[in-house]
Amino acid sequence: MAGDEAASKAATSIHRSPSRPQLDLSGATIQGSTEDKNPAIVLPNQSDELSHFAIDIGGSLVKLVYFSRQTEPAVSCGSPPRKGGGGQDRQKEAYYEGWRRHPILGGRLHFVKFETSKLNDCLAFIQSKKLHCSNPSLGTRLHSNSGDLSGLDGLAASNGSAEEATVKATGGGAFKFADVFKERLGVTFDKEDEMDCLVSGANFLLRAIRYEAFTHLEGQKQFVQMDRNDLFPYLLVNIGSGVSMIKVDGDGVYQRVSGTNVGGGTFWGLGRLLMKCKTFDEILELSQGGDNSSVDMLVGDIYGGLDYNKIGLSASTIASSFGKVISGDKDLSEYRREDLALSLLRMISYNIGQIAYLNALQYGLKRIFFGGFFIRGHAYTMDTISFAINFWSKGEAQAMFLRHEGYLGALGAFLSYDKHGLTTLTSHQLVERFPMGAPYAGGEIHGPPIRDLNEKITWMDKFIRKGIEITAPTPTAVPTTTGVGGFERPLSRALSLRSDSSAALNVGVLHFVPSLEAFPLLADPDKYEPNTVDLSDPLEREYWFNILSNHMPDLVEKAVASEGATNDAKRRGDAFAQAFRAHLARLREEPAAYGKLGLANLLEMREECLREFHFTDAYRAIKQRENEASLAVLPDLLSDLDTMTPSDRILALIEGVLAANIFDWGSKACVELYRSGTIMEIYRMSRDKMQRPWRVDDFDLFRKRWIGEEGATTPPKPHRRALFFVDNSGADIVLGVLTFARELLRRGTEVVLVANSLPAINDVVATELPAVIAAAAKHCDILRRAAESGGLLFDAVSCNNGDRHQCQNGSVPPLYVVANGSGSPCIDFRQVSSEVAAFAKDADLVVLEGMGRAVHTNYNAKFKCDVLKLAMIKNQRLAEQLVQGNIYDCICRYEPGQDSEIYL
């Protein structure tokens, strides 16, 4: 008890920066059940103005990490409707009520860097974003084009009415430039220990960010998923201006065991002296075309071109970096700058790698993480360090790198704010997205996406030019020389290898969504892989890149039409196409540039790009028309279904879901169908193709679970609750899903329709479903009563025709609608909304419908409960590779859970 009291006292005595906006914990409540293992906590009184930032000012670079509040509900696709509307508005009003009463704390974490010598740029950026103001409305926008600090004169005076801000800062510059920030911005630094911040930042990234760490050997980047329970100990090598080597044994438990003064500052300084380079990246670019044999003394130079076999050194091993210069009579100007740059890069990289390994050896560490802006995503630098570690350890130790390598200190400083709990976030609560329209110059992202659309579009030409530059192969010399101390030249020294001048794009914006959770019904979450398609295969990757490129004109046409085909919409559509093509070009050059690439990520990136250029729902009008057409024929379909026997009806229902799933505007084949036929003509054609056996046909097994063995006197118990992950609007949701859901309800099964939070192609969105259900309920008493019970309907609706069959137990279970937390045509069960996770607890049936959710992703996923996967294949390549079939083949895959009625 005494220990608990002490801990409580310590928690309340944590230092708070009095003038910064704080987290308002008053009225905090748990969202969902209090019995949840990790329930989401909502802060109803949290101010939208919360905007922390932290800074790491090094000798060469300033790194800034800042947090912006989420401005919309985390699971909403738009603003809540106005009060006082009609019945449909009242339905949506109630649907949003929970989100309005309990705004979930969420937001975005941005990463920005500046050269320390251009501190004015950093100060101007902070001022323009009003990050230093306790009340952002008190700030003023700065317009300064000068390279000095004079443009910021009078800034403090202009903010005199604002409270003084206290900002977390680390690095040597936190001391050196404290007075500058105080004078120019009215900011006081709350200085954090540099090593504390480095370790805290690294631990957070390795625990919370999926695929943060990767290896880089022989030109191949391989992501490594860290085990949160087996993270320590490790060696952290931070390569800034100098190098620190830190043995990390836990949170806040570390020891600086070594270091060297030969680091990034050495490389940059000597590069300026020897090659007259003005920037760090310029030296890296030069090294790309270098051949160090004219500069470095090799073993072969000493032994007449022979190897030194006795001690295992080849003739091409570097005996002495820059050693050949001693015996030469050349002036500096006579040496190729490229050769000098390569020799310098190797010398410093090999030296750091060797020292790191010797320290790891001393402490018995197998994992070595390298961070700091010396690396900055440069492929050859990482290969050089990896070869050094691999050679000296004889393959027993492994060099690993971090995607947020340069921001460890700034991130650690940010995390020190009030101990606000971000360190407890896990990978399922963080979504990384890449700014599609961010200003791009010299390989750096200067802040978040531009909010002014005109500025974004005028910048686009520059983006394309830079995109072409970074994807063009860089000529290199013929491989002739090697590395250091007994191993050969890294194999990745090839024509395709280049300086990663776009390394800044390797880091996206981290979206904190505390309402996301891992799906509790996954059979083995640690082994779960959502993507069915393997994009590590170059042929497979190129195929899908081409699919997306070829589909672009049709998508742009629909997006522009959705905005009224105005001139502004046309300009935005063109800008979207240019931006997304530029990112596809980037991924063609380096598939792992933005992290581990899967088809789900690729498709969601396209949707994010549409939203970036203000196309909120490109298929809105099409979805409305298809919904209306489908609702018009729903009564006739229900009437036909009600005349069937239970056995015939379940077959007709499954056929209906499969046939209706053909209406997918994301499929090239289906787009061609739309051009030549009406919606009902396509539906009839699809139903005509429903001849069994299907390509994957587990229907008989599912029917056995549904109605039991033929001749059995007692039918199986109905499922308690079904989670139905739905796909497209129109016929898919109305004629396929709702009719199947109706039958589940009639059997006594609760039904939860799980739809997208944000639009993707023509997928139905959760906020659209209540209106669709209300319209369908006019023709079906079961749907009406279930929707009322589930809180989707509030006005009594009289059915045009009553249902012929009553429910098995005389009452109708509820029908719910929840948002899945995603804006993609696919579903990643490592990240679903907390609402979905809560409903999953009592569910014993999961239905995955549609190509994106049941084939592109989760085709091989295993669940603890019964799962039914239904989809029509609309991609020829996928049909051939996955099921050895053809386009329009059907998938009906049923996998009983361990407690299924089939096994009892």
Side-chain angles (χ1 to χ4, degrees):
M1 180 65 70
D4 292 340
E5 292 177 355
S8 176
K9 184 176 181 180
T12 58
S13 64
I14 291 174
H15 169 71
R16 285 178 172 269
S17 304
S19 58
R20 291 293 295 163
Q22 306 298 331
L23 296 184
D24 187 347
L25 303 179
S26 62
T29 59
I30 292 178
Q31 183 187 47
S33 171
T34 56
E35 298 177 358
D36 292 355
K37 184 178 180 182
N38 294 299
I41 298 177
V42 297
L43 306 175
N45 298 315
Q46 176 56 48
S47 167
D48 283 350
E49 281 76 31
L50 176 66
S51 182
H52 286 307
F53 84 93
I55 195 167
D56 177 6
I57 309 178
S60 306
L61 294 167
V62 179
K63 286 79 67 177
L64 190 71
V65 172
Y66 72 94
F67 180 79
S68 62
R69 268 288 274 131
Q70 188 80 24
T71 57
E72 296 179 354
V75 291
S76 167
C77 71
S79 302
R82 293 174 298 175
K83 295 183 179 180
Q88 189 179 101
D89 282 345
R90 288 199 296 276
Q91 295 160 12
K92 291 185 177 181
E93 178 75 16
Y95 190 67
Y96 276 104
E97 184 179 354
W99 294 332
R100 240 192 346 268
R101 284 189 290 107
H102 301 293
I104 297 171
L105 176 65
R108 304 175 178 90
L109 200 60
H110 306 261
F111 303 86
V112 192
K113 64 181 174 69
F114 307 87
E115 291 184 17
T116 306
S117 61
K118 299 178 181 178
L119 189 63
N120 182 67
D121 291 347
C122 178
L123 292 166
F125 179 82
I126 294 170
Q127 168 64 13
S128 68
K129 293 290 181 184
K130 304 185 179 83
L131 300 179
H132 62 303
C133 303
S134 57
N135 184 345
S137 64
L138 297 175
T140 58
R141 183 171 294 276
L142 171 73
H143 297 281
S144 173
N145 297 319
S146 62
D148 56 25
L149 301 177
S150 60
L152 295 170
D153 285 339
L155 214 57
S158 70
N159 290 328
S161 59
E163 296 181 3
E164 180 183 286
T166 303
V167 174
K168 295 290 186 179
T170 189
F175 297 88
K176 182 177 180 179
F177 297 108
D179 291 341
V180 175
F181 277 77
K182 173 71 172 177
E183 178 183 354
R184 306 301 186 188
L185 298 180
V187 164
T188 298
F189 281 159
D190 184 0
K191 302 176 183 68
E192 294 291 328
D193 181 79
E194 189 170 359
M195 294 298 161
D196 283 344
C197 291
L198 287 173
V199 172
S200 176
N203 285 348
F204 171 77
L205 291 171
L206 291 170
R207 279 184 171 140
I209 310 300
R210 187 174 293 119
Y211 303 120
E212 169 67 24
F214 62 92
T215 61
H216 204 291
L217 195 61
E218 298 183 3
Q220 298 298 313
K221 180 186 287 187
Q222 296 290 333
F223 287 93
V224 180
Q225 183 58 30
M226 304 307 302
D227 184 346
R228 291 168 53 90
N229 300 316
D230 187 29
L231 180 59
F232 309 109
Y234 66 85
L235 185 69
L236 176 61
V237 182
N238 189 65
I239 313 174
S241 297
V243 184
S244 290
M245 301 188 183
I246 308 165
K247 178 176 177 285
V248 182
D249 293 298
D251 290 317
V253 183
Y254 66 88
Q255 177 186 2
R256 186 182 188 275
V257 294
S258 186
T260 172
N261 59 349
V262 180
T266 312
F267 179 68
W268 197 345
L270 289 176
R272 287 181 67 98
L273 288 174
L274 295 175
M275 293 151 279
K276 308 301 180 184
C277 293
K278 295 182 179 180
T279 67
F280 195 100
D281 285 324
E282 185 181 354
I283 312 173
L284 292 179
E285 292 288 352
L286 276 177
S287 71
Q288 212 36 52
D291 178 359
N292 65 321
S293 61
S294 62
V295 179
D296 294 338
M297 182 181 293
L298 311 179
V299 168
D301 296 326
I302 301 174
Y303 288 90
L306 300 176
D307 297 336
Y308 190 173
N309 293 323
K310 184 175 181 180
I311 59 175
L313 300 181
S314 69
S316 58
T317 298
I318 297 177
S320 175
S321 294
F322 288 93
K324 196 170 287 186
V325 176
I326 300 172
S327 57
D329 296 328
K330 296 181 180 179
D331 292 330
L332 178 60
S333 60
E334 297 179 72
Y335 288 96
R336 293 180 69 241
R337 296 167 71 234
E338 293 85 352
D339 300 342
L340 294 173
L342 180 60
S343 178
L344 182 61
L345 176 62
R346 286 183 175 177
M347 179 184 74
I348 293 175
S349 299
Y350 286 144
N351 183 63
I352 293 172
Q354 184 173 9
I355 295 175
Y357 167 68
L358 292 175
N359 279 279
L361 180 65
Q362 180 180 358
Y363 294 99
L365 306 176
K366 300 297 184 184
R367 287 176 297 197
I368 309 173
F369 294 100
F370 290 85
F373 263 117
F374 171 74
I375 299 169
R376 64 181 60 197
H378 187 253
Y380 193 63
T381 302
M382 292 186 287
D383 258 5
T384 304
I385 292 174
S386 295
F387 266 82
I389 298 295
N390 188 64
F391 173 78
W392 290 112
S393 71
K394 296 181 173 58
E396 294 185 2
Q398 194 174 36
M400 286 186 278
F401 305 91
L402 303 173
R403 295 178 56 229
H404 294 78
E405 57 189 16
Y407 295 98
L408 301 185
L411 183 55
F414 173 80
L415 292 170
S416 70
Y417 268 119
D418 311 312
K419 309 299 181 186
H420 48 35
L422 290 179
T423 53
T424 63
L425 290 176
T426 54
S427 58
H428 58 262
Q429 294 172 318
L430 292 163
V431 181
E432 187 173 11
R433 296 193 174 102
F434 297 88
M436 290 292 165
Y440 188 95
E444 298 178 5
I445 291 180
H446 299 290
I450 299 173
R451 295 306 175 196
D452 178 46
L453 195 60
N454 291 326
E455 186 180 357
K456 183 182 298 184
I457 292 178
T458 57
W459 157 81
M460 190 53 59
D461 288 340
K462 184 175 184 180
F463 181 95
I464 298 301
R465 287 198 301 271
K466 291 302 299 183
I468 293 172
E469 289 174 14
I470 64 173
T471 56
T474 302
T476 58
V478 177
T480 55
T481 58
T482 184
V484 65
F487 56 93
E488 296 302 318
R489 167 191 292 274
L491 296 180
S492 65
R493 182 70 176 161
L495 290 177
S496 62
L497 191 65
R498 52 166 173 72
S499 169
D500 195 348
S501 63
S502 58
L505 277 176
N506 291 354
V507 178
V509 177
L510 295 182
H511 291 238
F512 291 108
V513 190
S515 60
L516 290 182
E517 301 183 23
F519 191 59
L521 292 177
L522 285 175
D524 190 344
D526 292 336
K527 295 181 180 179
Y528 170 74
E529 169 55 49
N531 290 289
T532 304
V533 176
D534 183 10
L535 292 189
S536 64
D537 180 346
L539 294 177
E540 193 70 30
R541 188 168 59 244
E542 187 60 24
Y543 172 81
W544 286 102
F545 283 168
N546 288 334
I547 287 285
L548 292 176
S549 295
N550 294 337
H551 186 239
M552 190 83 68
D554 183 76
L555 180 57
V556 171
E557 177 186 339
K558 298 297 185 298
V560 171
S562 73
E563 300 289 333
T566 63
N567 289 333
D568 175 68
K570 292 175 183 177
R571 292 174 66 245
R572 285 187 283 128
D574 181 61
F576 153 72
Q578 291 186 64
F580 189 58
R581 284 195 181 101
H583 280 269
L584 288 179
R586 173 80 171 99
L587 289 169
R588 274 190 167 100
E589 174 68 11
E590 188 182 354
Y594 305 157
K596 187 176 180 180
L597 182 63
L599 185 56
N601 313 107
L602 198 58
L603 295 174
E604 186 165 17
M605 180 177 285
R606 178 182 62 182
E607 301 303 322
E608 284 293 322
C609 195
L610 279 168
R611 296 180 200 118
E612 185 72 27
F613 287 93
H614 301 184
F615 292 108
T616 55
D617 191 347
Y619 287 84
R620 183 191 306 115
I622 292 173
K623 291 193 293 184
Q624 291 173 349
R625 290 198 302 269
E626 292 188 353
N627 285 343
E628 292 171 1
S630 301
L631 287 165
V633 299
L634 178 63
D636 293 336
L637 175 59
L638 296 180
S639 179
D640 288 344
L641 289 170
D642 288 344
T643 62
M644 300 179 184
T645 65
S647 179
D648 291 339
R649 188 162 59 244
I650 184 56
L651 175 59
L653 289 168
I654 296 293
E655 287 179 341
V657 172
L658 293 172
N661 189 237
I662 196 173
F663 296 97
D664 186 348
W665 280 90
S667 163
K668 178 182 177 182
C670 293
V671 170
E672 293 303 317
L673 286 177
Y674 282 111
R675 297 187 190 282
S676 59
T678 67
I679 184 172
M680 291 314 300
E681 287 172 344
I682 297 170
Y683 184 63
R684 290 193 190 97
M685 181 206 73
S686 183
R687 289 302 297 259
D688 290 342
K689 288 180 173 291
M690 292 294 105
Q691 299 298 317
R692 296 183 62 202
W694 300 315
R695 179 57 59 177
V696 176
D697 194 340
D698 293 334
F699 172 75
D700 290 335
L701 184 62
F702 180 69
R703 179 163 50 186
K704 178 181 176 182
R705 168 63 182 89
W706 188 271
I707 60 177
E709 296 280 5
E710 186 175 352
T713 57
T714 305
K717 294 180 181 179
H719 291 94
R720 296 186 304 273
R721 174 182 290 167
L723 292 185
F724 207 130
F725 289 82
V726 302
D727 192 12
N728 305 305
S729 295
D732 200 341
I733 186 67
V734 176
L735 306 181
V737 171
L738 287 184
T739 56
F740 193 179
R742 172 179 179 261
E743 190 69 16
L744 284 164
L745 292 165
R746 178 154 50 195
R747 287 170 51 82
T749 301
E750 284 187 5
V751 177
V752 183
L753 300 182
V754 185
N756 268 13
S757 299
L758 295 170
I761 319 177
N762 63 316
D763 290 0
V764 66
V765 180
T767 50
E768 298 169 342
L769 266 180
V772 174
I773 293 171
K778 295 178 181 179
H779 310 292
C780 174
D781 188 59
I782 291 177
L783 288 177
R784 179 185 63 79
R785 291 157 60 195
E788 286 179 344
S789 180
L792 298 175
L793 295 181
F794 303 95
D795 297 327
V797 180
S798 298
C799 295
N800 294 335
N801 56 307
D803 284 295
R804 301 171 187 271
H805 300 274
Q806 296 300 317
C807 299
Q808 289 184 355
N809 58 5
S811 62
V812 181
L815 171 65
Y816 301 104
V817 171
V818 298
N820 59 19
S822 171
S824 168
C826 301
I827 187 75
D828 183 345
F829 280 106
R830 294 172 299 196
Q831 292 179 310
V832 299
S833 69
S834 57
E835 201 172 8
V836 170
F839 273 108
K841 291 186 177 179
D842 295 323
D844 51 357
L845 174 64
V846 168
V847 182
L848 298 176
E849 186 245 348
M851 272 226 308
R853 294 158 184 81
V855 180
H856 288 151
T857 54
N858 302 303
Y859 185 74
N860 299 315
K862 303 297 181 183
F863 296 85
K864 296 177 181 178
C865 64
D866 292 4
V867 60
L868 180 63
K869 302 172 184 179
L870 301 171
M872 176 180 282
I873 300 288
K874 290 158 293 216
N875 178 279
Q876 184 61 48
R877 184 181 182 89
L878 193 63
E880 293 171 355
Q881 295 189 350
L882 188 65
V883 293
Q884 291 78 51
N886 299 298
I887 195 168
Y888 303 131
D889 276 345
C890 291
I891 303 291
C892 177
R893 191 172 191 180
Y894 175 62
E895 298 164 352
Q898 293 181 352
D899 60 347
S900 172
E901 287 278 327
I902 290 179
Y903 295 136
L904 297 180

